[in-house]
Amino acid sequence: MSLVSSTRDRTSGSLDVVTLRLGQDTLAIRAGLIREVLEPVAITRVPGAPEFCTGLVNVRGTVVPLADLRVIFGMHRGPVGPDTRILVLDLSMEGRAAVVGIIADAVHEVTRISQDSLQDVPAVGTSWPAQFVEAIANRDSSVVMIPDLPAIFASALSTQATPVSSHSGGTQLPPHQLDR
Amino acid sequence: MDEETLAIFRAEADSLVESLEGGLLALQTRPGDRALIDQVFRDLHTLKGTGGMFGYTELAAFVHGFESAFEALRSGSSVASSELVAISLKAHDHIVALLDGQSSGDPDAILAGLAAAVGDQTPIPGPRPDVAPVAADIDIVIPPEPQPALRVQPPAAPVSVPEGPASAPAKSSSTIRISADRLDEMMDRVGELVIAEARLAEIAAKSGSPTLMSVTEDIQRLATGMRDATMSIRMTPLSSITGRFRRLVHDLADQTGKPIELVLEGEDTELDKSVVEQLAEPLMHLIRNAADHGLEDPMTRIDLDKPMAGTITLSARHSGAEVLIQLADDGQGLDAGRIRAKAVERGLISAEADLSRNELLRLVFAPGFSTAERVTELSGRGVGMDVVSRTISDLRGSVDLDSEPGQGTRITLRLPLTLAIIDGLLVEVAGERFTIPLAAVEEIVELPEILDDQQATARLLDIRGRLVPYLPLREVFGSPGRPGPFQKIVVVSSGGGRVGLVVDRIIGSNQTVIKQLSPLHSGLKIFSGATILGDGAVALILDVPSLVTRSKRPSPSVNRLQEAYV
Amino acid sequence: MTRRILVVDDSPSVRRMVAMTLKAAGYDVVEAGDGVEALEKVAGAEVHAVLTDQNMPRMDGLTFIREFRADASRHRIPIVFLSTESEGEIKERARAAGAIGWMVKPFDQAKLLSVMSRVVAA
């Protein structure tokens, strides 16, 4: 993917990341995107919101949407446990800076991945949707996946822009322009 | 001021007076001695300053005049004439008398004599015992760069009393200009304050300490006052943007060849500054539409027995916690048939859709109803009307439209007074908390048990003979479990419509700092934002207009409309 | 942390009045009768703000401000100029010399404290 090659060109040989566990998989997120890592806090459910982002949390006085990458990658969604963490990320949405939280079943370490070990996601052999994977890397004989966060959030935004039928008694309203 | 300090002053003054007398006497023999002149001046100066500090205002005023004479002597090159020394000694005696609380001689005459003796053409300011000799004044400019040793007041603005005699004691209610950013920052701070205050209230209530609770009440009162004051600072009259409307109408009249009269009503109606700013663009749009397409050309109007000049009326008024802004024209009105044809052509509705006139008119707000090309063959409204509608709904307002063929069109915008903080009613639904804007709440009643039936088909509640539709929020939110007994109905209204919202429990009212939802959730029309509660949890704020609209469904025609749209 | 204020005035009664007021409000006060004494005092002690008169023996206020500011480590210590003059010229000279502002004598205790709270954290 173009994003990977451009990142490879820009950085000299390695990538600082934070590794985390989601379901049975290990993911890596650029350390520079991470604002902070929080213990689980009170999560407010947003009725009618897409599965990918059904929660809101209070991060130091800011209301931050809480996204669940496990929904995107079809991973097992276990309950909140002692290792569960919320990673607060600085991203960009619709061209504006946005703070977003993502759930992690556990956060492992800050580490460095060598650019040489990065590969595009193979067409077969994984259950991950290729358009949401920026790259994968082999580390210590296991696979680390770097999610394509811009692609994931862009997709989430476009899904919510065209309402899909909702399970919960039709909480999704059609655009209110027609609704009045 | 204690006795001891006064005694010190008196001793100091006595020694100054003595030094003054000695200096004056020495000047008799050495009239050109600059050091002596300086000494006399300094003595007078100190006497003036300290005298004023210790309440000897008459003395200070007199010494001020005396000092001026020596100032003139000091800055000039003249010598102390024997005439000056003689009258100065008289002045000295007068000072001694004033210190003793007596009044002797004629201070005005002495001062006039002093002035004459130094050859000063400008009269020395006479003593004004009733007025402080010098304007009590302070001018401190705190340097803008952050300084560890300084308290930089947030917002870190240089505090400066303007200098110059014209503006010396700026005590009258004058106007100052403040950058909008500072106001926004202030509002943010007030928002933080309100959230912190809610936390405090929570802690105080848990503690049960009467002292803590009473302090908390004080803080709450102060925070509310602070909020109101800050909001009132941000209120801006609509007149701040109407100037450009006059200009626009003038230009439009030229362009279209139609005489147009713009009538403005309630221009002094105030709204939050950010609301007013964002209103300018949509209102210009509506005016342009009215002039371009709403108003007939002059000949047609004369044929129709209408005044030749078309009238566009922009009016604004308060209505509860909302401001209503109406833009009306006396033109040809909307042609429902043509709107229908257009909507079918655009694929917005099916050809056989059964829509009321109002539903048809509202189609002009649909995205895709008009495209970039101008739809001039239509009665006009459509060019960017979806943009107008979106802007208003982004401001948490709503748009309504009504039109009579041949009579004209009226578009009503309903806008909240402010975007930042509202009073909210906190309710609980299936263990989750939500906030309802209090301004929209009409009443709260208990849900009659007989109506608590999920299978009920007609959800109408009889409130004192008036039928009100109601929505069980548990159902709207897809909440799990069954409600307990004693559910409440919060009756809310918006735009003339009302709906009862069924909740499990009323928690209470609170100040609600509105936080915008991220783009991930902003498409959920039933929520207008979120807020942070006293315990740090996030609660969603219900969007009353959408809930009222929602209660009007399901109507088959509108359902079809949605299908066609989606 | 207690804030220490240097009060420079040749009038003992003014110094006393200012010192008493500031001490009662929780400040620490160092007094000096003129610019020379003031420079001696600040050589040995850290001060957080300075109030100075203009007309004093040995060294006047303006000269003192310039001397005080000559030491780069004191560039950020606020100096308030006490003056009996409401005219602009001396104020401007004081400001040019390095005062952050001026206060006209006579002033009362409330005004003094309000000014101090603006220039230095209590």
Side-chain angles (χ1 to χ4, degrees), chain A residues 88-175:
Chain A
V88 183
L89 310 179
D90 283 311
L91 294 180
S92 156
M93 269 194 265
E94 297 184 340
R96 293 162 84 171
V99 181
V100 175
I102 59 169
I103 283 257
D105 288 319
V107 171
H108 295 315
E109 55 177 347
V110 180
T111 185
R112 189 163 282 190
I113 294 181
S114 119
Q115 294 282 358
D116 301 336
S117 67
L118 292 185
Q119 304 165 16
D120 287 351
V121 64
V124 289
T126 76
S127 56
W128 305 322
Q131 72 270 28
F132 295 140
V133 179
E134 185 182 321
I136 58 173
N138 283 303
R139 274 186 90 247
D140 309 333
S141 73
S142 67
V143 173
V144 175
M145 184 249 282
I146 304 179
D148 189 341
L149 295 173
I152 291 170
F153 281 95
S155 157
L157 288 174
S158 65
T159 336
Q160 83 128 25
T162 48
V164 287
S165 66
S166 162
H167 59 286
S168 58
T171 23
Q172 293 279 12
L173 292 170

Side-chain angles (χ1 to χ4, degrees), chain B residues 378-398:
Chain B
L378 216 73
S379 53
R381 297 171 202 271
V383 184
M385 286 296 265
D386 59 328
V387 178
V388 172
S389 174
R390 191 162 352 129
T391 308
I392 302 303
S393 87
D394 284 351
L395 290 169
R396 301 208 333 268
S398 64

Side-chain angles (χ1 to χ4, degrees), chain B residues 2 4-5 8-9 12 45 48-50 52-54 134 136-139 141-142 145-147 150 159 163, chain C residues 10-14 16 20 55 76 78 84-85 91-92 95 100-102 104-107 111 115 118-119:
Chain B
D2 62 351
E4 205 185 337
T5 308
I8 291 176
F9 163 68
E12 187 183 319
H45 186 83
K48 178 180 78 174
T50 50
M53 306 264 300
F54 293 89
V134 286
D137 213 346
I138 300 170
D139 182 2
V141 176
I142 296 178
E145 60 170 326
Q147 303 201 5
L150 295 190
V159 180
E163 290 179 33
Chain C
D10 60 341
S11 155
S13 58
V14 170
R16 184 184 161 90
M20 276 176 45
N55 288 288
R76 296 190 157 180
T84 45
E85 324 293 345
K91 288 177 345 203
E92 284 320 310
R95 201 161 266 165
I100 64 161
W102 51 274
V104 167
K105 289 201 261 184
F107 50 82
K111 192 170 284 176
V115 167
R118 280 163 63 189
V119 301

Side-chain angles (χ1 to χ4, degrees), chain A residues 2-177:
Chain A
S2 60
L3 209 109
V4 175
S5 50
S6 69
T7 316
R8 280 176 187 159
D9 293 343
R10 269 206 312 274
T11 56
S12 54
S14 65
L15 201 60
D16 285 327
V17 296
V18 170
T19 58
L20 53 103
R21 183 171 65 78
L22 270 191
Q24 301 304 314
D25 297 310
T26 304
L27 276 72
I29 295 196
R30 280 182 172 69
L33 294 177
I34 299 176
R35 180 182 275 214
E36 59 188 313
V37 177
L38 301 175
E39 307 253 328
V41 291
I43 300 169
T44 298
R45 181 181 74 103
V46 184
E51 289 246 62
F52 167 60
C53 190
T54 54
L56 294 174
V57 289
N58 168 10
V59 179
R60 298 175 206 293
T62 307
V63 174
V64 172
L66 184 62
D68 192 341
L69 297 183
R70 295 176 301 191
V71 173
I72 298 289
F73 294 110
M75 295 163 177
H76 172 68
R77 294 161 73 188
V80 170
D83 293 333
T84 305
R85 294 291 180 273
I86 294 171
L87 277 77
V88 183
L89 310 179
D90 283 311
L91 294 180
S92 156
M93 269 194 265
E94 297 184 340
R96 293 162 84 171
V99 181
V100 175
I102 59 169
I103 283 257
D105 288 319
V107 171
H108 295 315
E109 55 177 347
V110 180
T111 185
R112 189 163 282 190
I113 294 181
S114 119
Q115 294 282 358
D116 301 336
S117 67
L118 292 185
Q119 304 165 16
D120 287 351
V121 64
V124 289
T126 76
S127 56
W128 305 322
Q131 72 270 28
F132 295 140
V133 179
E134 185 182 321
I136 58 173
N138 283 303
R139 274 186 90 247
D140 309 333
S141 73
S142 67
V143 173
V144 175
M145 184 249 282
I146 304 179
D148 189 341
L149 295 173
I152 291 170
F153 281 95
S155 157
L157 288 174
S158 65
T159 336
Q160 83 128 25
T162 48
V164 287
S165 66
S166 162
H167 59 286
S168 58
T171 23
Q172 293 279 12
L173 292 170
H176 86 287
Q177 282 91 349

